[in-house]
Amino acid sequence: MATDLHELLRSLRVWDPAATGLPPFDPEAAPGDPLALFTAWFAEVVAAGQTEPHTMSLATSDEEGLPDVRTVMLHGADADGWAFATHASSRKGRQLAARPYAALGFYWPVQGRQVRVRGPVAVAPPGEARADLHARSTGALAAALTGRQSDVLDSVEELRRASEDAWELARRAPDTVVGSWTLYRLRPTEVEFFQGDERRRHVRLRYRREGAGTGWVKELLWP
């Protein structure tokens, strides 16, 4: 029997109390820097049992300005920006080379929270990219060594052979350099924090960088 997608969608409920706790959020008590609030929220969702809280949506645009989005991992966040990595030769790498501007989206349903970040993207020095990759798991290095990300694949068997070779090299030579592996940093011009509310009085707090300076303006948004 075929699945009725619309019926299935109508049966779903957002923020089931059995699985979701909507914590209070007082925007008046929020710190002056969005990174401090992001760090606090991240620690809270980890403690609340959110699976893979470091995964995020990365939105870019191609040479024609058409949008693209995928899920990647956050590699770090500090005063230099929110960091992620990929091959420079991949689709997202090529898009960032053509249009070095992106947006990030985190969704943590266990607490009904979202964080949205957007701003220009810069390439980190190659040494930092190498250090970042080699600090990760053997599987991460093997995946990077497999390479050819976003290229057309002839068969699953071809991928299996390339992956096995990459795993063998990653185990034998864990310091192998992957020339195309690139660390990117998004330096935010806007960061928005969204806290869901069961009565739909959601709290949205936006940090907006003021002019060319380093200061931030905080403002509430209608949900």
Side-chain angles (χ1 to χ4, degrees):
M1 186 174 181
T3 300
D4 186 324
L5 176 60
H6 296 287
E7 189 65 29
L8 183 59
L9 288 170
R10 283 192 292 270
S11 73
L12 299 175
R13 294 294 178 266
V14 176
W15 303 328
D16 183 348
T20 307
L22 298 176
F25 174 42
D26 179 8
E28 295 296 327
D33 189 306
L35 181 58
L37 182 56
F38 178 84
T39 302
W41 274 28
F42 191 84
E44 289 172 13
V45 297
V46 170
Q50 178 66 58
T51 58
E52 300 182 351
H54 57 322
T55 57
M56 59 187 185
S57 298
L58 166 65
T60 56
S61 56
D62 64 17
E63 293 84 349
E64 298 178 353
L66 298 176
D68 209 345
V69 69
R70 74 289 289 163
T71 302
V72 299
M73 286 198 309
L74 178 69
H75 286 221
D78 55 28
D80 293 326
W82 269 252
F84 58 93
T86 188
H87 291 280
S89 55
S90 68
R91 175 181 290 183
K92 52 187 173 293
R94 296 193 303 270
Q95 291 173 349
L96 288 168
R99 291 174 175 263
Y101 201 93
L104 309 174
F106 297 85
Y107 178 46
W108 299 319
V110 70
Q111 290 191 322
R113 285 178 167 174
Q114 299 180 53
V115 180
R116 301 168 60 206
V117 188
R118 67 175 182 170
V121 177
V123 174
E128 294 184 22
R130 289 194 295 270
D132 175 76
L133 178 58
H134 293 140
R136 300 174 67 203
S137 66
T138 299
L141 176 58
L145 286 166
T146 301
R148 290 178 282 180
Q149 191 178 64
S150 304
D151 288 356
V152 174
L153 176 66
D154 290 334
S155 68
V156 174
E157 176 60 23
E158 181 184 16
L159 173 60
R160 185 191 64 79
R161 291 195 302 267
S163 178
E164 288 181 354
D165 291 343
W167 272 91
E168 181 180 350
L169 178 57
R171 293 191 184 102
R172 187 177 70 250
D175 293 329
T176 300
V177 174
V178 183
S180 62
W181 191 251
T182 305
L183 184 69
Y184 297 90
R185 288 197 177 93
L186 185 156
R187 188 172 186 270
T189 55
E190 289 186 16
V191 185
E192 181 190 324
F193 294 84
F194 172 102
Q195 174 61 67
D197 177 85
E198 63 182 10
R199 296 182 66 84
R200 301 305 190 264
R201 294 193 286 258
H202 313 308
V203 179
R204 296 177 62 190
L205 174 64
R206 179 172 64 185
Y207 290 77
R208 180 170 47 82
R209 198 177 291 278
E210 190 171 26
T214 58
W216 293 95
V217 173
K218 292 192 298 181
E219 49 200 8
L220 292 172
L221 302 176
W222 281 87

